[in-house]
Amino acid sequence: MNKKTIITILIALVAMAGQAQKHLPAFQYSKEPAVLSGQIIGNNQQITESVHVRYSLKYTSGMGDALRQTSAAVDADGRFTLSLPTGTTVDCHVAVGECRFICYVVPGQTVTFTLDLNKLETQGLANALTFSGQLSDFNHDLVYATEQGIDPETIYRDIEAKRNMGQLANELPEKSEQGYFHYLDSTYQRVNELIDNDREIGQAYREFAKAVNRYEWGAMMPFCGQSIQYAGIDTDEAYDAFEARLKQRLEVYMKDDPWANPVLCYVMWSMPETFVDSYVSHPVKLPTDYQQCHLASKFLEQMGAQRFLLTEVQKDSVLTFLPELAQDVLDYNERMERELSFVSEQGMSRVCTLPDNADDILATILKPYNGKPVLLDLWETTCGPCRLAFKDMHDKKKDLADRIHFVNIASENSDLATWQRLIPNYIGDHYRLTKQQLQSLHSQLPCNTSGVPIWVLINADGTIHHAFTGWRNVDDMMKEINQVLQ
């Protein structure tokens, strides 16, 4: 083989290597877990004992099933291996001590990284991290772009935070509808320029980042009405005209069918209904692979969030249209069927009412339960964390049913039909208060009552042990419950 031939082969190999990550791998499903492995380099004082990873599934029941967390011990050489049953291509939030970064993994394949803690202190994260295996160049670019402040997700997350805090309007050059959209459009252009102008970013991440930018730009449009006080929108006619203008903007956004871009599968956490509701000219075209994911999420949401089991016709549809995900969906249906039948058969859910002339709402509610601790759960059907708490606490409630009373309180703010449909599956006694009764009850509670869920633990003698707002996890709740059971 002559020198010219060798050079030609080498050039071809380099070109092939360069093209290997020109595009992202297909969004895919697999029963095989993704593997994340690596090595932490540093002295004994620097190396942490474990690596923690948080990731989300792309199809969930709508009851908090998406979030997954796992960890692996780091051995004496700083090495670790994690098996992640993701089911789909997904991003992972990795924590090594105080160091945090995001990388993508693919089911059935291995992503490996080396983290040099010495370089981390002096040269920054992008220089301290070296990836190998699947998506190595892309993952490095992701870390680099985030560190450089040109990651679209981070940029729009900051905008969303300002919007939620009511700060966004104060930063706009013109506090008007036109000013908001000019700000949004200029942000979109600015982010694209940042991505294009940084020559260190490879093609795979560049393609990804620009798709993220387009997605986030579109996702911000429907929220504009919550971000600013629009001059002149003080009548139904004016609001209808504004809605029409918003739809026109969404038409422009959707004209190239952005969901047909497979890259968007990586970033499409919310369902496409965000745009479908406002986009009317023709149906949204989902990528073929993602279509299964979307349909699976709808069936799981029906079972998990709405508490409706699959019909026989739906089971046939699952087998026909979801070949890769059918068994997961059907297994979840069987699990829900067992759970719901247990609550019904044991009579562990009751509807209760208060007398119309009740003055002391708290005392009236607690009167039937004197002599045993009580856990009051103030919730509403529209509250996601409230319904997640019912799901998470289900098994504990079954175990503790003879030691503590569970009392669940909703109000007229919850749709009656939805409340009636849900409560047969939720363990405990159920009250639905008028707004006046709820306000009276709130005045008796020693905690912030501006949100839900609100938890009130009552001692066996009827005194309040502890009251608090929000849902964290089962372990924290059981610590509180065990104190009143002692």
Side-chain angles (χ1 to χ4, degrees):
M1 185 180 298
N2 59 38
K3 184 177 180 180
K4 184 177 180 179
T5 302
I6 294 175
I7 292 175
T8 302
I9 292 174
L10 289 175
I11 292 174
L13 290 173
V14 169
M16 290 172 62
Q19 293 174 357
Q21 285 202 284
K22 185 175 180 181
H23 301 289
L24 295 176
F27 181 76
Q28 64 185 46
Y29 313 103
S30 176
K31 296 296 183 183
E32 294 295 320
V35 176
L36 183 66
S37 65
Q39 183 177 20
I40 316 301
I41 299 174
N43 59 47
N44 292 334
Q45 288 73 34
Q46 291 176 308
I47 296 179
T48 182
E49 295 180 353
S50 57
V51 173
H52 303 276
V53 173
R54 175 170 55 87
Y55 60 96
S56 298
L57 298 181
K58 292 287 184 178
Y59 57 99
T60 76
S61 71
M63 294 289 288
D65 292 335
L67 189 63
R68 297 286 190 273
Q69 299 186 65
T70 188
S71 60
V74 176
D75 66 18
D77 294 326
R79 299 182 184 278
F80 74 94
T81 299
L82 271 168
S83 178
L84 309 175
T86 63
T88 59
T89 307
V90 74
D91 62 339
C92 295
H93 295 248
V94 182
V96 182
E98 297 299 318
C99 177
R100 303 285 190 276
F101 62 90
I102 297 175
C103 66
Y104 274 75
V105 295
V106 181
Q109 301 188 38
T110 299
V111 168
T112 302
F113 71 83
T114 300
L115 175 60
D116 189 328
L117 298 178
N118 296 311
K119 288 185 178 181
L120 180 63
E121 295 178 357
T122 59
Q123 302 179 34
L125 184 56
N127 289 317
L129 264 176
T130 304
F131 287 94
S132 59
Q134 183 70 16
L135 285 178
S136 57
D137 293 340
F138 171 80
N139 279 326
H140 177 270
D141 286 348
L142 174 61
V143 172
Y144 168 81
T146 303
E147 192 171 49
Q148 294 297 314
I150 57 177
D151 171 35
E153 288 189 89
T154 302
I155 293 171
Y156 282 94
R157 194 180 304 123
D158 291 341
I159 295 174
E160 178 69 5
K162 291 176 182 177
R163 185 185 71 83
N164 291 336
M165 296 297 292
Q167 299 171 350
L168 180 59
N170 296 329
E171 296 191 8
L172 300 182
E174 182 185 350
K175 296 180 181 180
S176 65
E177 177 184 334
Q178 292 76 18
Y180 178 88
F181 283 128
H182 174 74
Y183 173 84
L184 195 57
D185 293 343
S186 61
T187 299
Y188 174 74
Q189 294 169 4
R190 177 174 62 87
V191 173
N192 271 348
E193 289 174 0
L194 287 172
I195 297 166
D196 284 333
N197 292 338
D198 195 310
R199 305 320 304 169
E200 292 192 36
I201 293 177
Q203 181 62 29
Y205 180 77
R206 193 181 308 278
E207 179 185 352
F208 170 85
K210 296 184 79 168
V212 174
N213 187 30
R214 182 178 175 87
Y215 169 74
E216 297 288 357
W217 171 57
M220 290 294 290
M221 288 183 197
F223 295 131
C224 65
Q226 306 169 24
S227 307
I228 226 172
Q229 294 296 321
Y230 295 105
I233 299 188
D234 52 5
T235 65
D236 290 342
E237 292 77 10
Y239 185 79
D240 290 342
F242 164 71
E243 285 286 291
R245 293 193 298 272
L246 178 58
K247 287 183 178 181
Q248 287 177 351
R249 292 189 64 88
L250 287 167
E251 287 279 348
V252 174
Y253 172 83
M254 296 296 294
K255 68 178 181 179
D256 298 323
D257 287 320
W259 301 130
N261 183 347
V263 177
L264 283 171
C265 294
Y266 288 80
V267 294
M268 193 173 168
W269 294 115
S270 59
M271 292 295 107
E273 278 81 352
T274 302
F275 302 101
V276 172
D277 291 343
S278 300
Y279 182 64
V280 295
S281 65
H282 65 271
V284 170
K285 296 179 182 178
L286 294 175
T288 303
D289 287 339
Y290 190 83
Q291 182 69 29
Q292 283 197 59
C293 193
H294 178 57
L295 289 175
S297 73
K298 294 292 116 180
F299 284 123
L300 290 168
E301 182 181 6
Q302 172 189 311
M303 293 179 278
Q306 301 177 25
R307 315 296 274 189
F308 284 160
L309 296 175
L310 297 179
T311 65
E312 293 303 316
V313 172
Q314 287 179 320
K315 290 178 183 178
D316 290 339
S317 297
V318 168
L319 292 170
T320 301
F321 298 110
L322 306 176
E324 287 92 347
L325 301 177
Q327 197 57 52
D328 288 347
V329 175
L330 295 176
D331 288 347
Y332 190 88
N333 187 70
E334 289 184 12
R335 189 161 71 250
M336 288 298 301
E337 189 172 18
R338 292 193 297 270
E339 178 183 315
L340 300 184
S341 64
F342 179 87
V343 176
S344 175
E345 291 168 3
Q346 300 298 317
M348 300 182 75
S349 175
R350 299 189 308 165
V351 177
C352 305
T353 58
L354 294 178
D356 294 334
N357 59 352
D359 293 326
D360 189 329
I361 300 297
L362 181 59
T364 304
I365 290 174
L366 295 178
K367 185 176 180 180
Y369 312 112
N370 191 32
K372 189 182 290 188
V374 176
L375 175 62
L376 297 182
D377 175 3
L378 280 68
W379 71 293
E380 302 293 352
T381 57
T382 55
C383 168
C386 298
R387 293 165 69 169
L388 174 61
F390 276 116
K391 172 182 175 294
D392 289 350
M393 286 294 294
H394 182 81
D395 290 338
K396 293 296 184 183
K397 285 185 175 182
K398 287 194 297 185
D399 296 338
L400 296 172
D402 60 342
R403 300 182 62 193
I404 183 172
H405 290 291
F406 297 100
V407 180
N408 311 301
I409 300 171
S411 75
E412 292 176 334
N413 294 322
S414 291
D415 176 69
L416 177 59
T418 303
W419 181 74
Q420 291 174 330
R421 187 180 76 243
L422 291 173
I423 59 175
N425 310 315
Y426 294 155
I427 293 174
D429 288 352
H430 293 272
Y431 292 83
R432 188 170 184 268
L433 306 187
T434 66
K435 294 178 182 178
Q436 292 75 21
Q437 289 172 330
L438 181 66
Q439 191 174 32
S440 177
L441 176 59
H442 280 172
S443 68
Q444 298 180 272
L445 303 181
C447 67
N448 177 13
T449 59
S450 61
V452 285
I454 299 171
W455 306 92
V456 187
L457 271 166
I458 312 293
N459 294 310
D461 62 3
T463 60
I464 294 178
H465 169 77
H466 185 39
F468 54 97
T469 304
W471 172 247
R472 295 184 293 273
N473 54 62
V474 174
D475 291 341
D476 286 348
M477 178 60 74
M478 289 307 302
K479 289 178 183 177
E480 300 291 345
I481 290 176
N482 287 332
Q483 291 182 36
V484 301
L485 293 177
Q486 291 176 354

